[in-house]
Amino acid sequence: MHYRLLVAGAGPGGLSVASAFSRRFARSKGGSVAIVDPASKHWYQPGFTLVGAGKYKIEDQWKPMSKVIPEGAQHYPTAVAEFDPDNNAVTLNDGQKLTYDFLVVALGLQTKLDAFPGLREALDDPDSPVTTNYLPEYVTKTFPLIQGLKKGNAVFTFPQTVVKCAGAPQKVMWLAESQWRKNGVRQDIDISFYTPTPAIFSAPKYAASLMKQAQARNVNVNLKHAMKKLDAKRRVVTIEELESKKTFEKPYDFLHVVPPFFAPDVLAKSPLANEAGFCSVDPTTLQHTKYSNVFSLGDASSLPTSKTAAALAAQSGVLKSNLAAVMDGKPMQRGYTGYTSCPLFIGDDQLILAEFDYKFNPQESFWLDQGQPSNLMFHLTKDVMGRMYWNSLLTGHWNGPRKASHSHQPHGQWRWWAVKEME
């Protein structure tokens, strides 16, 4: 079968693009869209943090994939087995071969629990105080473990691999700390955060605010430290101090880990990938660096920015505009600034809403100082963002906030631009 547009991946990025172009082709009465993804459920992954905090129910964080595939698009419920961009073709796991005029790669990331020895066994063991908010099959362990801890060591780690939502490993920590304070046991719990990064957060403005929180709440932040081993039987982790290469053991009574994430194997071994295995695209236009009829966005792309839903929304607006221009034989007019956003829950009703660009400069959307804890930002994220995700992002209508992209002018200057729905 041949399609005008083939979308590999039915995550939020793939669905946003497929929805917009399904409408576009329906209006023009020409063109067809195919989506390839084997999942039967579409998960609202940003909601997992609040599931782990006991504020959301896991059963409310997903919808059947059949309910979110856009009208007019053909869904292939299988995986891509091979990309052949030189022949504008993909081969599916079931043996089918599809061809396309244009391809959008939105495969997301691949989880490999077995890449970290002992992790799967620790997570699967119902009596083990090891959990992660990143996967739906384990996130329901988190809140009971938080509630059950009365004293001891609580350890939170950040991985050395690529990570979805780089703020999530510490969001769970702040929410747990708040819960332990509410439960009256905080004074008996030692909290340690280990990260291989040189700062607690990539954007300096928000890093400074978070370090103030750590100091005020007696949270031990250990920079340039990485978890190397997990001994679930002894309930200890081995931590390496990256500068000195020295290691030590840290006992735990509660452990939150981030599973190892990687570029999908099918992408990494394809001609579309860069050396790291991600789809190699121009960081401004989102067009592939070699194949002009291929675009990519989200976690599977090579875009050097944090992998968040808000970043993806901004990227989708740029991609949809530029892909439409290329389809019509016109020059691309939109440029992605690297905009990303991370809603950093730091307590029961407080949140720091980090928004920044490629250069880590703040790109804040609201009138207040978003580097300061805010009740308003907490409820905006908790009570509104989910509806925007389901009703606006997946349907291709939400293209990110202002300052998320810019428009190239004939005289060579760039000006800020809010990406709008395609005509």
Side-chain angles (χ1 to χ4, degrees):
M1 289 292 291
H2 183 82
Y3 293 91
R4 179 67 166 160
L5 174 63
L6 177 62
V7 179
L15 288 175
S16 177
V17 173
S19 295
F21 278 92
S22 292
R23 290 193 297 273
R24 188 177 198 260
F25 293 157
R27 289 194 297 267
S28 64
K29 301 188 184 303
S32 54
V33 177
I35 306 174
V36 179
D37 195 299
S40 60
K41 295 179 180 180
H42 182 99
W43 291 95
Y44 175 53
Q45 295 183 38
F48 289 0
T49 289
L50 292 178
V51 172
K55 300 181 186 301
Y56 279 175
K57 295 180 179 179
I58 189 63
E59 56 265 29
D60 296 331
Q61 308 312 307
W62 67 275
K63 291 184 179 182
M65 187 64 78
S66 60
K67 298 294 185 182
V68 295
I69 295 294
E71 184 179 354
Q74 177 64 50
H75 178 213
Y76 288 85
T78 185
V80 174
E82 182 182 11
F83 289 103
D84 182 9
D86 291 311
N87 293 299
N88 295 329
V90 299
T91 301
L92 307 185
N93 271 358
D94 61 8
Q96 294 185 79
K97 189 170 185 177
L98 308 179
T99 57
Y100 57 82
D101 292 329
F102 296 91
L103 171 68
V104 171
V105 178
L107 291 177
L109 294 176
Q110 181 178 4
T111 307
K112 295 183 179 180
L113 288 179
D114 296 326
F116 199 101
L119 179 56
R120 183 185 297 277
E121 292 77 12
L123 289 170
D124 284 341
D125 183 353
D127 296 322
S128 170
V130 180
T131 186
T132 181
N133 278 355
Y134 274 86
L135 299 172
E137 59 266 41
Y138 300 118
V139 65
T140 52
K141 285 184 69 176
T142 303
F143 191 61
L145 288 176
I146 291 173
Q147 287 288 69
L149 188 65
K150 307 302 180 185
K151 62 179 180 179
N153 295 323
V155 176
F156 300 82
T157 64
F158 192 101
Q160 288 185 285
T161 62
V162 66
V163 60
K164 289 186 179 185
C165 185
Q170 62 177 291
K171 294 179 194 180
V172 59
M173 177 180 70
W174 300 119
L175 288 166
E177 193 277 344
S178 181
Q179 187 64 48
W180 289 323
R181 194 175 296 277
K182 181 188 296 185
N183 292 351
V185 298
R186 175 65 183 90
Q187 69 278 6
D188 297 318
I189 297 174
D190 180 82
I191 300 176
S192 297
F193 180 64
Y194 293 97
T195 175
T197 60
I200 192 172
F201 196 74
S202 57
K205 172 178 178 175
Y206 309 108
S209 296
L210 291 166
M211 288 304 294
K212 288 181 180 178
Q213 289 289 322
Q215 293 164 6
R217 296 160 71 169
N218 195 28
V219 169
N220 304 308
V221 176
N222 302 276
L223 307 177
K224 300 180 182 179
H225 285 70
M227 184 176 77
K228 291 296 185 178
K229 295 180 182 178
L230 167 63
D231 188 334
K233 290 183 179 179
R234 296 172 54 225
R235 295 192 177 183
V236 297
V237 291
T238 300
I239 302 293
E240 179 182 346
E241 185 181 351
L242 297 180
E243 288 188 339
S244 69
K245 303 299 181 182
K246 295 180 180 179
T247 61
F248 60 90
E249 289 188 339
K250 176 71 175 182
Y252 65 82
D253 300 283
F254 172 99
L255 174 63
H256 182 274
V257 296
V258 180
F261 286 106
F262 300 91
D265 290 339
V266 67
L267 174 61
K269 67 183 181 182
S270 79
L272 297 172
N274 63 9
E275 291 183 357
F278 295 94
C279 193
S280 180
V281 295
D282 182 277
T284 300
T285 66
L286 280 66
Q287 186 180 43
H288 197 272
T289 53
K290 179 180 178 181
Y291 301 98
S292 61
N293 65 334
V294 176
F295 288 75
S296 182
L297 77 169
D299 296 353
S301 75
S302 63
L303 297 171
T305 192
S306 297
K307 299 180 184 297
T308 70
L312 188 144
Q315 294 161 20
S316 72
V318 174
L319 188 153
K320 286 179 282 190
S321 177
N322 287 344
L323 176 54
V326 173
M327 283 183 173
D328 295 340
K330 298 177 181 179
M332 294 181 286
Q333 294 291 326
R334 299 288 182 265
Y336 177 53
T337 66
Y339 170 87
T340 189
S341 174
C342 182
L344 292 154
F345 292 95
I346 59 167
D348 264 356
D349 60 355
Q350 296 291 306
L351 182 143
I352 292 172
L353 182 57
E355 293 183 284
F356 52 97
D357 60 17
Y358 277 138
K359 297 180 179 180
F360 306 112
N361 295 318
Q363 299 294 330
E364 298 181 350
S365 299
F366 297 90
W367 63 93
L368 47 77
D369 181 359
Q370 293 175 207
Q372 299 302 313
S374 167
N375 177 264
L376 174 62
M377 296 297 100
F378 177 92
H379 287 287
L380 174 68
T381 302
K382 175 179 177 288
D383 302 325
V384 177
M385 295 307 294
R387 290 197 290 271
M388 290 182 64
Y389 179 93
W390 292 113
N391 300 324
S392 297
L393 177 57
L394 299 194
T395 58
H397 294 292
W398 180 29
N399 297 319
R402 298 185 67 86
K403 298 188 178 180
S405 67
H406 44 47
S407 176
H408 186 60
Q409 302 301 298
H411 50 76
Q413 296 182 346
W414 296 87
R415 64 184 175 87
W416 295 115
W417 192 276
V419 178
K420 299 180 179 179
E421 179 74 4
M422 295 178 301
E423 298 296 327

